[in-house]
Amino acid sequence: MAVTGNGPLAGVRVVELAGIGPGPFAAMLLADLGADVVRVDRPGGAGIGIDPAYDLTNRNKRSVLIDLKTGAGRAAVLGLAARADILLEGNRPGVTERLGVGPEDCLARNPRLVYGRMTGWGQDGPLAPHAGHDIGYVAVTGALGMIGAAGGPPAVPANLLGDYAGGSLYLAVGVLAALHHARTTGTGQVVDAAITDGTAHLTTMIHALLAAGAWQDRRGVNLLDGGTPFYGVYETADGGWMAVGALEERFYEEFTRLLGLGEEAPGRGDPGDWEALRAAVADRFRTRTREEWTAVFADSDACVAPVLSLREAPRHPHLAARGTFTDHGGITQPAPAPRFSATPGAVRTPPALPGAHTAEVAADWDVPGLTAGPAPTTPSGGAR
């Protein structure tokens, strides 16, 4: 099978109206897979607060600097939209319409365009016009309320669950599905990706268990939320942690054997014995360090793994062997995913600096009006 090295989305043109959070990540995902992503940065930046040279969500992209509040800026974006397959924006509902680059404006120029919209609350509904952040979006879907220990507060899963799982990934899937439709029918459309919708969708299996009576609507008491002693985390002698997922009986038997739990330990069959079993497992884990327990469970089917930090993760033997992380421009970062046998994605270029590719894109996309925009900005420093 021939390998192109360009990614499966080579030839797909994407316009990204600069924002923060899930929109840029979705655009990065498309860029990692080979799409030609042009990020439209605005004078003054998007407000992320870090040196653009370190903003990894802008890798594999090109950047043009456009002031959308000017007539020339609007004309330039519409010129890009006319030549694009996909446009992504993450503003509050109605903002791009007021700027003159909303769906009607862009689809009038390019009826085949897929116009992807990324918001927290969606394009309609009582909360649509209001501000919000990941934590609030996952809170109202029930997802936040099911994470954490019994009797304690909900545990905040960074912004991975809402912004990126419920937001970015649903936006990417949505625009790619709409692109397939557009190429089949010649008709574009608007994709309304709301973090609340995506996060709620992620809980489908839990709702199935709830309906079947196999899930209690409270945290820390269920099979997959740390409620059982054989699916959770345990502290080690050196203050590290081990993650245990020995759900199936045969995996549990191997786990208890390698842990050295002993035949006198409580069984797993009776939930009434779980607290005693949890205490026995915890006592055993506290007898050795994380590194020692990692060695004990290595090459086993006990479903036990060390809990690693962000800096430790790239050095894990399995992740290192697969190249799950890569180094580009002196920055260690997650490699593109998923993997393709014939058209693999790759980190090709460092984060695009605002306005750095204006002339290049103007020529490649045949939008000469781009070069009339603001001059590129120069970052204070950072890796390239």
Side-chain angles (χ1 to χ4, degrees):
M1 186 177 294
V3 175
T4 68
N6 295 322
L9 296 183
V12 173
R13 286 182 168 181
V14 179
V15 175
E16 174 199 352
L17 302 187
I20 60 175
F25 187 89
M28 182 205 74
L29 175 57
L30 301 180
D32 282 355
L33 300 181
D36 180 8
V37 176
V38 172
R39 178 178 168 94
V40 176
D41 281 297
R42 56 180 178 262
I48 191 173
I50 67 170
D51 187 330
Y54 289 97
D55 186 358
L56 295 175
T57 62
N58 284 331
R59 72 188 187 189
N60 288 338
K61 301 177 184 178
R62 298 190 287 178
S63 170
V64 299
L65 201 62
I66 296 176
D67 186 353
L68 270 170
K69 295 181 180 179
T70 67
R74 288 191 290 274
V77 169
L78 290 174
L80 289 170
R83 293 157 177 78
D85 299 292
I86 297 168
L87 185 147
L88 303 178
E89 63 97 359
N91 298 289
R92 291 200 207 186
V95 170
T96 57
E97 284 87 346
R98 291 194 295 273
L99 291 171
V101 293
E104 289 189 9
D105 304 294
C106 291
L107 285 164
R109 294 289 300 271
N110 180 1
R112 299 170 62 93
L113 180 69
V114 173
Y115 196 104
R117 317 194 78 170
M118 181 77 263
T119 60
W121 304 116
Q123 296 298 311
D124 54 47
L127 293 177
H130 296 288
H133 278 294
D134 172 286
I135 193 169
Y137 306 141
V138 300
V140 301
T141 65
L144 182 61
M146 54 182 272
I147 303 172
V156 181
N159 66 332
L160 299 177
L161 177 56
D163 278 353
Y164 299 125
S168 303
L169 298 186
Y170 278 84
L171 175 60
V173 170
V175 297
L176 291 178
L179 178 62
H180 173 73
H181 174 265
R183 290 186 166 179
T184 301
T185 66
T187 303
Q189 61 182 301
V190 178
V191 177
D192 174 4
I195 295 172
T196 47
D197 294 346
T199 305
H201 193 259
L202 289 170
T203 66
T204 300
M205 188 196 77
I206 304 301
H207 276 277
L209 294 174
L210 186 66
W215 189 275
Q216 299 182 56
D217 195 12
R218 55 194 181 100
R219 59 185 162 274
V221 296
N222 296 287
L223 184 65
L224 300 174
D225 64 358
T228 67
F230 39 87
Y231 197 89
V233 293
Y234 291 92
E235 190 174 12
T236 58
D238 58 343
W241 296 87
M242 298 295 291
V244 177
L247 291 175
E248 293 84 354
E249 185 66 40
R250 65 185 185 280
F251 302 149
Y252 178 77
E253 290 177 359
E254 186 162 359
F255 162 64
T256 56
R257 177 179 62 81
L258 292 173
L259 186 66
L261 197 57
E263 295 182 0
E264 70 281 1
R268 64 177 261 167
D270 184 355
D273 293 333
W274 281 359
E275 285 310 305
L277 177 58
R278 192 189 309 275
V281 171
D283 287 344
R284 286 296 300 155
F285 270 115
R286 282 193 289 265
T287 64
R288 299 187 187 183
T289 66
R290 189 189 70 177
E291 183 177 353
E292 290 172 329
W293 282 120
T294 298
V296 167
F297 289 105
D299 301 318
S300 78
D301 280 342
C303 301
V304 177
V307 178
L308 302 182
S309 72
L310 289 173
R311 294 192 183 279
E312 291 175 317
R315 300 194 297 272
H316 185 275
H318 179 80
L319 303 186
R322 280 183 58 82
T324 299
F325 291 84
T326 187
D327 185 277
H328 191 278
I331 303 177
T332 300
Q333 55 196 279
R339 304 179 186 212
F340 298 83
S341 61
T343 55
V347 179
R348 305 179 302 279
T349 60
L353 302 183
H357 309 96
T358 301
E360 181 182 303
V361 172
D364 289 351
W365 284 42
D366 191 22
V367 185
L370 288 177
T371 55
T377 57
T378 301
S380 58
R384 283 292 291 160

